[in-house]
Amino acid sequence: MKQSELFTKTRREAPSDEASKNAKLLIRGGFIHKEMSGVYSLLPLGLIVMEKIANVVREEMKNIGGQEVRLSAMQSRELWEKTDRWDDKKVDIWFKSDIKNGAQIGLGFTHEEPLTAIMREHVSSYKDLPKYIFQIQTKFRNEERAKSGILRGREFLMKDFYSFSRNEEEHKEFYEKAAKSYGRIFNRVGIGECTFRTFASGGVFSKFSDEFQTLSEVGEDVIFLDEKNKTAINSEVFTDETLSDLGKQKGDFVEKKSIEVGNIFSLGSRFSEPLGLKFKNENGAENVVIMGSYGIGIGRLMGTVAEILSDGLGLVWPKEISPFDLHLVSIGAEKSAKVKKQADELYEGLLENGVDVLYDDRDLRAGEKFADSDLLGIPTRVVISEKTMGDGKVEVKERIKKEALYMTEKELLETPHYRTC
Amino acid sequence: MKQSELFTKTRREAPSDEASKNAKLLIRGGFIHKEMSGVYSLLPLGLIVMEKIANVVREEMKNIGGQEVRLSAMQSRELWEKTDRWDDKKVDIWFKSDIKNGAQIGLGFTHEEPLTAIMREHVSSYKDLPKYIFQIQTKFRNEERAKSGILRGREFLMKDFYSFSRNEEEHKEFYEKAAKSYGRIFNRVGIGECTFRTFASGGVFSKFSDEFQTLSEVGEDVIFLDEKNKTAINSEVFTDETLSDLGKQKGDFVEKKSIEVGNIFSLGSRFSEPLGLKFKNENGAENVVIMGSYGIGIGRLMGTVAEILSDGLGLVWPKEISPFDLHLVSIGAEKSAKVKKQADELYEGLLENGVDVLYDDRDLRAGEKFADSDLLGIPTRVVISEKTMGDGKVEVKERIKKEALYMTEKELLETPHYRTC
C-alpha cells in the first residue's frame, strides 16, 4: 500500500490523558483511536495487527482440535441466574441494558454459560465427546479503572476456548496440550522469552490454575520467578504450602511484575452441573461433562507486544504480526525523477514477488520519513535515494538493528526473509 | 472436515417459537443458535458462511478504495449529542448502559459520528481527500419486534462504509461507483437476479437515496417494480411527483414485497458540519467535507440467501458462500470395508487437491445422510456406495438439480468447478 493513500497520519504527541506507553505509541502511529477510557477503535494498521494476532491464535486453536463459533454479546438473565452469576453483587463487571418492552440483558464478559447451554443440544452420548470449541469475539467488562491502554479494556477482543471432556483424565491430558499450544502462540507473537507459565489459584475444582505471565514493569500482577528452573508462582499463592506442594525452595524465586496474557482453568462441573450438560457413558449411566476454559486477550496481547518490544523511537513488530513486512522509503523523489522511478518500480516488483510492502511515497523530509518509519515499527526498512542509487544498491535496515546493509534490488527480491508467499 | 467430528447436529424441528423460514432452516442445520428473540450465535457452519459473505463484501469494498477499520460498539453521549442523535426521543433504538462511577454509554447502531470525529484528526487539506473507510462490525439495535430470524436482529454483523469527498461532484461520482459494487456483491452471493436498485426517500441532502431490495414474500418493505426497465421505487415515494421526476408511467409498475439488503445515502454535511470536519481547499478557504454512507447487513444478507434460495428439503448455498464446496457421503461404509477405504481415500485425495470438502463418515442410514445433506445445502454431493463402486464411478449430484451424474474419481478431481485453489 502507498503511504500517501493511507488515511491515518502519525502524530508527535499522544492525547494528554493517555498514561500508558502501549496506547501512546499505538495512537501516535495511527494504529488505534481512543473513544473513551478503556475503549479504543482500530484504525487500518491496528486492525491488520489485531487480525494477524487473532489468526496466529486461531491457527493454534484449530491445531489442537478447536472448532470456531461466534456467540452473541447479548446475554439473557435466566441463563446466568442458573449459575448464580447474574446478580451484580456476585459479578460486578456487567454492563446491563433493557430490551424495549422486555427483559433485562447483559453484555457477555465471558461465555461459559451460553456455550454450555448450546452444548446441551449437541451432546448426549460419550461418542459426542470430547469436543473443543473456541471463539474470537468482543467482550464487555465494566472495569472500575481502565488506564492501561489496551492492556485492560472495557470492550476488547478475546479468544475464549472451552473443552468438554468425559472425565478428569481426558480433561487433564487436553489441558496440558492446550498449555503447550499457548507456549507456541507467545513464541510466534514474539514474547515467548519473557512469558512464563505460572501457578495461580485454582478455584473449586483444582488446587492450581495456570496463568501465562509476561514480565513487564507496567504489569498489574506480581509473580515469583525461578528463572533457572522456568517456574513461576503468582504472589496470590506464593505460600509455604505451595512451595512444599511443588517441592521448591523460596530462595530460588525473585519477585517480578508481570502482565497476565493468558490463563487456563479446570472448571470441573461448575457450569455443566447447574446447566444440566450430561452424557450417557458406555454403560448407559448419566455423567456430568467435565469442562475447562482457556483465555487469551487478543487486544491485551497486542498491547503487551507494543509495551515490551518497543524502544525510544517507537514500535518494533515481530514479523509474524507486523502490519507490513517491509517499509519502502523513497528519499528526495520529489526532486529526482530517477529516484521516483526506481522507487515506483521496486514497489511494483515487490508486490509482484508477493512482498507485503508499505511504500512511503510522500513528499516529506528524510528525517520525518525515518521518524515515522521507526514509530510504525515495520521489521525491515528499504531506502532508495540519490546516494543509494549511485552505488547501484538499496539500503536495507532491520528495525531492531543499528547498522544498515546494502544490497542490489535483485538480492533484495531474492531474500526469502522479506517474502510472505 | 469429517462430519463425525463436527460438534453440531442437525435437528428435525426448529424451536417452536421460531416463525421465520431462514432461522428455522439455519437452526435445523446447526448453522446458528437462538439466544433470544433477535439474537443469534453462530455455530461453526454458520460462522463459515457469515465470514465468506463478509469476505465477498470486504473484497468489493477494497476494490473501490475502501480502507478497513473496526470502531468500538461503546459510544459516548457527548459525541452523539452534537448531532442530536443521543436522546431516546430522537433515536429510539439505543441500548444504553452505565460505566461504573461514570458516564452513560450507548451501543452503536451505526457509526457516522465516531468515524467523523476520527477523520477530524486525519483530514485538514484537500490533499487528504477523498477517502473511503469501512468496517464489518457488530451493531446493536433495540428493535421493538424481532421475529424475522436473522433478517432483523437486535445484535447483528453489518458492513458500513463512509465516503468523505471535497464536493458534490466528487461525491456523486463515487456514489455511482459504490452502487455498481453493490450490484457485484449481490450477484456474487447469488441473489443478483432478484435484487433491484430502488429509489427511496432521500432525507435532507438529496431527493432520493438508493436501496437494494430483494424480492421476497417475507420482506418488510413494499416496492413498485418495472421489471422490464429494471426500475424500482419504494412505496414510500411511489407518488405522481416521483414518477414525473423519473419520467416513468405508473402502469409499468407492479407492487412487490421485498427485503432491503443494502442502502446508500448522500449525507451532505449532516455530520461533518456539527462535528466540524473541514478541510482547506486549493485557495486556503475552509470547506465542509461532503459525506455518504453505504450499508449492507451481513447477517441479513445471509438470512436473505437462506430465505429465497432454499427449497422444501433445506438450504441451497451458492458456491461462493457455501460452508464447503463439496459434500462427500459414504453409504454403507460400516458394513463394507471397501466402501470405507475408497471414501477415506477420496477424502484425502480431495483435500490434497485443495477441495474444501465435508465428509459424512457417520454410521447412519442412507436416508438420514441424504436428508442431512439436502438440509445443509452444500452445492455438490458426491456419493460412494457399493452400487457406485460396482460401476467404478462416483455419483455426483448438484444440490439444485434432480438428476445425478456418474464419473470416475479422476474425472471428479480434474473438474475445476469443484476446486477452490
Coordinates of all heavy atoms in Angstrom, one line a residue, chain B residues 121-172:
Chain B
E121 N -9.1 14.2 12.9 CA -7.7 14.2 13.3 C -6.8 13.9 12.1 O -5.6 14.0 12.2 CB -7.5 13.1 14.4 CG -8.2 13.5 15.6 CD -8.0 12.5 16.7 OE1 -7.1 11.6 16.6 OE2 -8.7 12.6 17.7
H122 N -7.4 13.4 11.0 CA -6.5 13.0 9.8 C -6.8 13.8 8.6 O -6.1 13.6 7.6 CB -6.8 11.5 9.6 CG -6.4 10.7 10.8 ND1 -5.1 10.3 11.1 CD2 -7.1 10.1 11.8 CE1 -5.0 9.6 12.2 NE2 -6.2 9.5 12.7
V123 N -7.8 14.6 8.6 CA -8.1 15.4 7.4 C -7.9 16.9 7.7 O -8.5 17.4 8.6 CB -9.5 15.1 6.9 CG1 -9.9 16.1 5.8 CG2 -9.7 13.7 6.4
S124 N -7.1 17.6 6.9 CA -7.0 19.0 7.1 C -6.9 19.7 5.7 O -7.4 20.9 5.6 CB -5.8 19.4 7.9 OG -4.6 18.8 7.3
S125 N -6.4 19.1 4.7 CA -6.2 19.7 3.4 C -7.0 19.0 2.3 O -7.4 17.8 2.5 CB -4.7 19.7 3.1 OG -4.5 19.7 1.7
Y126 N -7.3 19.6 1.2 CA -7.9 19.0 0.1 C -7.1 17.8 -0.4 O -7.6 16.9 -1.0 CB -8.1 20.0 -1.1 CG -6.8 20.5 -1.7 CD1 -6.3 19.9 -2.9 CD2 -6.1 21.5 -1.1 CE1 -5.1 20.3 -3.4 CE2 -4.9 21.9 -1.7 CZ -4.4 21.3 -2.8 OH -3.2 21.7 -3.4
K127 N -5.8 17.8 -0.1 CA -4.9 16.7 -0.5 C -5.2 15.4 0.3 O -4.8 14.3 -0.1 CB -3.4 17.0 -0.2 CG -2.9 18.1 -1.2 CD -1.4 18.4 -0.8 CE -0.9 19.6 -1.6 NZ 0.3 20.1 -1.0
D128 N -5.9 15.6 1.4 CA -6.2 14.4 2.2 C -7.5 13.7 1.8 O -7.9 12.7 2.3 CB -6.4 14.8 3.7 CG -5.1 15.4 4.3 OD1 -4.0 15.0 3.9 OD2 -5.2 16.3 5.1
L129 N -8.1 14.3 0.7 CA -9.4 13.8 0.3 C -9.4 13.4 -1.2 O -8.5 14.0 -1.9 CB -10.5 14.8 0.6 CG -10.8 15.2 2.0 CD1 -11.7 16.4 2.1 CD2 -11.4 14.0 2.7
P130 N -10.3 12.6 -1.7 CA -11.3 11.9 -1.0 C -10.8 10.7 -0.2 O -9.7 10.2 -0.6 CB -12.3 11.4 -2.1 CG -11.3 11.2 -3.3 CD -10.3 12.3 -3.1
K131 N -11.5 10.2 0.8 CA -11.1 9.0 1.5 C -12.4 8.1 1.7 O -13.5 8.7 1.8 CB -10.5 9.3 2.8 CG -9.0 9.8 2.8 CD -8.1 8.7 2.4 CE -6.6 9.1 2.4 NZ -6.3 10.1 1.3
Y132 N -12.1 6.8 1.7 CA -13.2 5.9 1.8 C -12.9 4.9 2.9 O -11.9 4.2 2.9 CB -13.4 5.2 0.5 CG -13.5 6.1 -0.7 CD1 -12.5 6.2 -1.6 CD2 -14.6 7.0 -0.8 CE1 -12.5 7.1 -2.6 CE2 -14.7 7.9 -1.8 CZ -13.6 8.0 -2.7 OH -13.7 8.9 -3.7
I133 N -13.8 4.8 3.9 CA -13.5 4.0 5.1 C -14.7 3.0 5.3 O -15.8 3.4 5.2 CB -13.3 4.8 6.4 CG1 -12.6 6.2 6.1 CG2 -12.6 4.1 7.5 CD1 -11.2 6.1 5.8
F134 N -14.3 1.8 5.7 CA -15.5 0.9 6.0 C -15.1 0.0 7.2 O -13.9 -0.1 7.5 CB -15.9 0.0 4.8 CG -14.9 -1.1 4.5 CD1 -15.2 -2.4 4.9 CD2 -13.7 -0.9 3.8 CE1 -14.3 -3.5 4.6 CE2 -12.8 -1.9 3.5 CZ -13.1 -3.2 3.9
Q135 N -16.1 -0.7 7.7 CA -15.9 -1.7 8.7 C -16.9 -2.8 8.6 O -18.0 -2.6 8.0 CB -15.9 -1.1 10.1 CG -17.3 -0.5 10.4 CD -17.4 0.0 11.9 OE1 -16.5 -0.4 12.7 NE2 -18.4 0.8 12.2
I136 N -16.6 -3.9 9.1 CA -17.5 -5.1 9.2 C -17.6 -5.4 10.7 O -16.6 -5.9 11.3 CB -17.1 -6.3 8.4 CG1 -17.2 -5.9 6.9 CG2 -18.0 -7.5 8.6 CD1 -16.6 -6.9 5.9
Q137 N -18.7 -5.0 11.4 CA -18.7 -4.8 12.8 C -20.1 -5.1 13.4 O -21.1 -5.0 12.7 CB -18.1 -3.4 13.1 CG -17.9 -3.1 14.5 CD -19.0 -2.3 15.1 OE1 -20.1 -2.1 14.5 NE2 -18.9 -1.8 16.3
T138 N -20.1 -5.4 14.6 CA -21.4 -5.8 15.3 C -22.2 -4.5 15.7 O -21.7 -3.7 16.4 CB -21.2 -6.6 16.5 OG1 -20.4 -7.8 16.1 CG2 -22.5 -7.1 17.1
K139 N -23.4 -4.4 15.2 CA -24.3 -3.3 15.6 C -25.4 -3.8 16.6 O -25.7 -5.0 16.6 CB -25.1 -2.8 14.4 CG -24.2 -2.3 13.3 CD -23.7 -0.8 13.5 CE -22.9 -0.3 12.4 NZ -21.5 -0.7 12.5
F140 N -25.8 -2.9 17.4 CA -26.9 -3.2 18.4 C -28.1 -2.3 18.1 O -27.9 -1.1 18.0 CB -26.3 -3.0 19.8 CG -25.2 -4.0 20.2 CD1 -23.9 -3.7 19.8 CD2 -25.5 -5.2 20.8 CE1 -22.9 -4.5 20.1 CE2 -24.5 -6.1 21.1 CZ -23.1 -5.7 20.8
R141 N -29.2 -2.9 18.0 CA -30.4 -2.0 17.8 C -31.6 -2.6 18.6 O -31.9 -3.8 18.5 CB -30.8 -2.0 16.3 CG -29.8 -1.2 15.5 CD -30.3 -1.0 14.0 NE -29.1 -0.4 13.3 CZ -29.1 -0.2 12.0 NH1 -30.2 -0.5 11.2 NH2 -28.1 0.4 11.4
N142 N -32.1 -1.7 19.4 CA -33.2 -2.1 20.4 C -34.5 -2.1 19.6 O -35.4 -1.3 19.8 CB -33.2 -1.1 21.5 CG -33.8 -1.8 22.8 OD1 -34.5 -2.8 22.7 ND2 -33.5 -1.2 23.9
E143 N -34.7 -3.2 18.8 CA -35.9 -3.3 18.0 C -37.1 -3.7 18.9 O -37.0 -4.5 19.7 CB -35.7 -4.4 16.9 CG -34.6 -4.1 15.9 CD -34.9 -3.1 14.8 OE1 -36.1 -2.7 14.8 OE2 -34.0 -2.8 14.0
E144 N -38.2 -3.0 18.6 CA -39.5 -3.4 19.3 C -39.8 -4.8 19.1 O -40.1 -5.6 20.0 CB -40.6 -2.5 18.8 CG -41.8 -2.5 19.6 CD -42.0 -1.2 20.3 OE1 -41.6 -0.1 19.8 OE2 -42.7 -1.2 21.4
R145 N -39.8 -5.2 17.8 CA -40.2 -6.6 17.5 C -39.0 -7.2 16.7 O -38.4 -6.5 15.8 CB -41.4 -6.7 16.7 CG -42.7 -6.4 17.5 CD -43.9 -6.5 16.7 NE -43.9 -5.7 15.5 CZ -44.8 -5.7 14.5 NH1 -45.8 -6.5 14.6 NH2 -44.7 -4.9 13.5
A146 N -38.7 -8.4 16.9 CA -37.6 -9.1 16.1 C -38.1 -10.5 15.9 O -37.8 -11.4 16.7 CB -36.3 -9.0 16.9
K147 N -38.8 -10.7 14.9 CA -39.4 -12.1 14.6 C -39.1 -12.6 13.2 O -39.7 -13.5 12.8 CB -40.9 -12.1 14.9 CG -41.6 -11.0 14.2 CD -43.1 -11.1 14.4 CE -43.8 -10.2 13.4 NZ -45.3 -10.3 13.4
S148 N -38.1 -12.0 12.6 CA -37.8 -12.4 11.2 C -36.5 -13.1 11.1 O -35.8 -13.1 10.1 CB -37.7 -11.1 10.3 OG -38.9 -10.4 10.4
G149 N -36.2 -13.8 12.2 CA -34.9 -14.6 12.2 C -33.7 -13.6 12.1 O -33.7 -12.6 12.8
I150 N -32.8 -14.0 11.3 CA -31.6 -13.1 11.2 C -31.8 -12.0 10.1 O -30.9 -11.3 9.8 CB -30.3 -13.9 10.9 CG1 -30.3 -14.6 9.6 CG2 -30.0 -14.9 12.0 CD1 -29.0 -15.2 9.2
L151 N -33.0 -11.8 9.7 CA -33.3 -10.7 8.8 C -33.3 -9.3 9.6 O -33.1 -8.3 9.0 CB -34.6 -10.9 8.0 CG -34.6 -12.0 7.0 CD1 -36.0 -12.1 6.3 CD2 -33.5 -11.8 5.9
R152 N -33.8 -9.4 10.8 CA -33.8 -8.2 11.6 C -33.4 -8.5 13.0 O -34.2 -9.1 13.8 CB -35.2 -7.5 11.6 CG -35.3 -6.2 12.4 CD -36.6 -5.6 12.4 NE -36.9 -5.0 11.0 CZ -36.4 -3.9 10.6 NH1 -35.6 -3.1 11.3 NH2 -36.7 -3.5 9.4
G153 N -32.1 -8.3 13.4 CA -31.6 -8.7 14.7 C -31.5 -7.5 15.6 O -31.5 -6.3 15.2
R154 N -31.4 -7.8 16.9 CA -31.0 -6.8 17.9 C -29.5 -6.7 18.0 O -29.0 -5.6 18.4 CB -31.6 -7.2 19.2 CG -33.2 -7.1 19.2 CD -33.8 -7.3 20.6 NE -35.1 -6.9 20.6 CZ -36.2 -7.7 20.8 NH1 -36.1 -9.0 21.0 NH2 -37.4 -7.2 20.8
E155 N -28.8 -7.7 17.6 CA -27.3 -7.7 17.5 C -27.0 -8.4 16.2 O -27.4 -9.5 16.0 CB -26.8 -8.5 18.7 CG -25.3 -8.7 18.6 CD -24.7 -9.5 19.8 OE1 -25.5 -9.7 20.8 OE2 -23.6 -9.9 19.8
F156 N -26.3 -7.7 15.4 CA -26.0 -8.3 14.0 C -24.7 -7.7 13.4 O -24.3 -6.6 13.7 CB -27.2 -8.0 13.1 CG -27.6 -6.6 12.9 CD1 -27.1 -5.8 11.9 CD2 -28.4 -5.9 13.9 CE1 -27.4 -4.5 11.8 CE2 -28.7 -4.6 13.8 CZ -28.2 -3.8 12.7
L157 N -24.2 -8.5 12.5 CA -23.0 -8.0 11.8 C -23.4 -7.1 10.6 O -24.2 -7.5 9.8 CB -22.2 -9.3 11.3 CG -20.7 -9.0 10.9 CD1 -19.9 -8.6 12.1 CD2 -20.1 -10.3 10.3
M158 N -22.7 -6.0 10.5 CA -23.0 -5.1 9.4 C -21.8 -4.5 8.8 O -20.8 -4.4 9.4 CB -23.9 -3.9 10.0 CG -24.3 -2.9 8.9 SD -25.5 -1.8 9.6 CE -25.5 -0.5 8.2
K159 N -21.8 -4.3 7.5 CA -20.8 -3.6 6.8 C -21.3 -2.1 6.7 O -22.3 -1.9 6.1 CB -20.5 -4.2 5.4 CG -19.3 -3.5 4.7 CD -19.7 -2.2 4.0 CE -20.7 -2.4 2.9 NZ -21.0 -1.1 2.1
D160 N -20.5 -1.2 7.2 CA -20.9 0.2 7.0 C -19.7 0.9 6.4 O -18.5 0.7 6.9 CB -21.4 0.9 8.2 CG -20.7 0.6 9.5 OD1 -20.2 -0.5 9.7 OD2 -20.7 1.5 10.4
F161 N -19.9 1.6 5.4 CA -18.9 2.3 4.5 C -19.2 3.7 4.5 O -20.4 4.1 4.4 CB -18.9 1.6 3.1 CG -17.8 2.0 2.2 CD1 -16.9 1.1 1.7 CD2 -17.7 3.3 1.7 CE1 -16.0 1.4 0.8 CE2 -16.7 3.7 0.8 CZ -15.8 2.7 0.3
Y162 N -18.2 4.6 4.6 CA -18.4 6.0 4.6 C -17.5 6.7 3.6 O -16.3 6.4 3.6 CB -18.2 6.6 6.0 CG -19.1 5.9 7.0 CD1 -18.6 4.8 7.7 CD2 -20.4 6.3 7.3 CE1 -19.4 4.2 8.7 CE2 -21.2 5.7 8.2 CZ -20.7 4.6 8.9 OH -21.4 3.9 9.8
S163 N -18.0 7.6 2.8 CA -17.2 8.3 1.9 C -17.0 9.8 2.3 O -18.0 10.4 2.9 CB -17.7 8.3 0.4 OG -19.0 9.0 0.4
F164 N -15.8 10.3 2.1 CA -15.5 11.7 2.5 C -15.0 12.4 1.3 O -13.9 12.1 0.8 CB -14.5 11.7 3.6 CG -14.9 11.0 4.9 CD1 -14.8 9.6 5.0 CD2 -15.6 11.6 5.9 CE1 -15.2 8.9 6.1 CE2 -16.0 11.0 7.0 CZ -15.9 9.6 7.1
S165 N -15.8 13.3 0.7 CA -15.4 13.9 -0.5 C -15.3 15.5 -0.4 O -15.8 16.0 0.6 CB -16.5 13.6 -1.6 OG -16.6 12.2 -1.7
R166 N -14.7 16.1 -1.4 CA -14.4 17.5 -1.4 C -15.6 18.3 -1.8 O -15.8 19.5 -1.4 CB -13.2 17.8 -2.3 CG -11.9 17.4 -1.6 CD -10.8 17.6 -2.5 NE -10.7 16.5 -3.4 CZ -9.5 16.1 -4.0 NH1 -8.4 16.7 -3.8 NH2 -9.5 15.0 -4.8
N167 N -16.4 17.7 -2.7 CA -17.6 18.4 -3.2 C -18.6 17.5 -3.7 O -18.4 16.3 -3.8 CB -17.2 19.4 -4.3 CG -16.4 18.7 -5.4 OD1 -16.8 17.7 -5.9 ND2 -15.2 19.2 -5.7
E168 N -19.8 18.0 -4.1 CA -20.9 17.2 -4.5 C -20.6 16.4 -5.8 O -21.0 15.2 -5.9 CB -22.1 18.1 -4.8 CG -23.0 18.4 -3.6 CD -23.6 17.1 -3.0 OE1 -23.8 16.1 -3.7 OE2 -23.8 17.2 -1.8
E169 N -19.8 17.0 -6.7 CA -19.5 16.3 -7.9 C -18.6 15.0 -7.6 O -18.9 13.9 -8.1 CB -18.7 17.2 -8.8 CG -18.6 16.7 -10.3 CD -17.7 17.6 -11.1 OE1 -17.4 18.8 -10.7 OE2 -17.3 17.1 -12.1
E170 N -17.6 15.2 -6.8 CA -16.8 14.1 -6.4 C -17.6 13.0 -5.7 O -17.4 11.8 -5.9 CB -15.6 14.6 -5.5 CG -14.5 13.6 -5.3 CD -13.3 14.3 -4.6 OE1 -13.4 14.5 -3.4 OE2 -12.3 14.7 -5.3
H171 N -18.5 13.5 -4.8 CA -19.3 12.6 -4.1 C -20.2 11.8 -5.0 O -20.3 10.5 -4.9 CB -20.2 13.3 -3.1 CG -21.3 12.5 -2.5 ND1 -21.1 11.5 -1.7 CD2 -22.6 12.5 -2.8 CE1 -22.2 10.9 -1.4 NE2 -23.2 11.5 -2.0
K172 N -20.8 12.4 -6.0 CA -21.8 11.7 -6.9 C -21.1 10.7 -7.7 O -21.6 9.6 -7.9 CB -22.4 12.8 -7.8 CG -23.6 13.6 -7.2 CD -24.8 12.7 -7.0 CE -25.8 13.4 -6.1 NZ -26.7 12.4 -5.3

